Amino acid sequence: MNRDRTLVAAQVALLAVILAGGRRGRGRPRPVQAAGAALTLGGLTLLVWSGRTLGRNLTPLPTPVADGTLVQRGPYRFVRHPIYTALLLLAGGWTVARGGRVSVAGTLLLAGLLRHKAGIEDTALAGRHPAHAAYRAHTGAFLPRTGRR
């Protein structure tokens, strides 16, 4: 469990770095700022939708709740980790709108951390839910799968 808490702490720290690393959008063209705002709004919307869909299954830790179910409705029909996708949209949108090398680096590090966390989560879910293997085979981790594989 210590590993899980360390990953969450690192995630929170990276989000703080991303927020602090923005340059307040100085010199950013308005269309770029608007695109960043749109990504941020999309991320916030997806975050709320995903959290509400998970309900009692929601946890910040990569280890699922003990008596949880395998959720495959709502945004989970399209991707296995929509909360992570939402966080990346939020971070990316902020970075696009505000600029700053620190925010860019933080967003890239966050993407790597969330990919690692998703792997841990997928392994744990596969151990608890036999249906996870089929779900994983047809559902992308962060982005919807297109076409046949």
Side-chain angles (χ1 to χ4, degrees), residues 28-118:
R28 310 287 287 173
R30 285 193 189 261
V32 171
Q33 290 182 19
L39 286 171
T40 301
L41 180 60
L44 183 59
T45 301
L46 181 58
L47 183 67
V48 170
W49 183 27
S50 301
R52 290 180 60 94
T53 301
L54 270 185
R56 66 179 184 84
N57 294 296
L58 182 61
T59 177
L61 305 174
T63 301
V65 294
D67 60 345
T69 60
L70 181 63
V71 176
Q72 298 180 60
R73 65 184 186 287
Y76 295 87
R77 289 176 298 180
F78 308 107
V79 293
R80 297 190 313 275
H81 305 283
I83 289 178
Y84 297 165
T85 300
L87 290 173
L88 291 172
L89 285 170
L90 284 165
W94 178 265
T95 300
V96 167
R98 309 272 293 197
R101 289 184 182 127
V102 172
S103 289
V104 170
T107 300
L108 292 172
L109 289 170
L110 180 64
L113 176 72
L114 293 177
R115 183 66 207 119
H116 179 67
K117 245 179 107 177

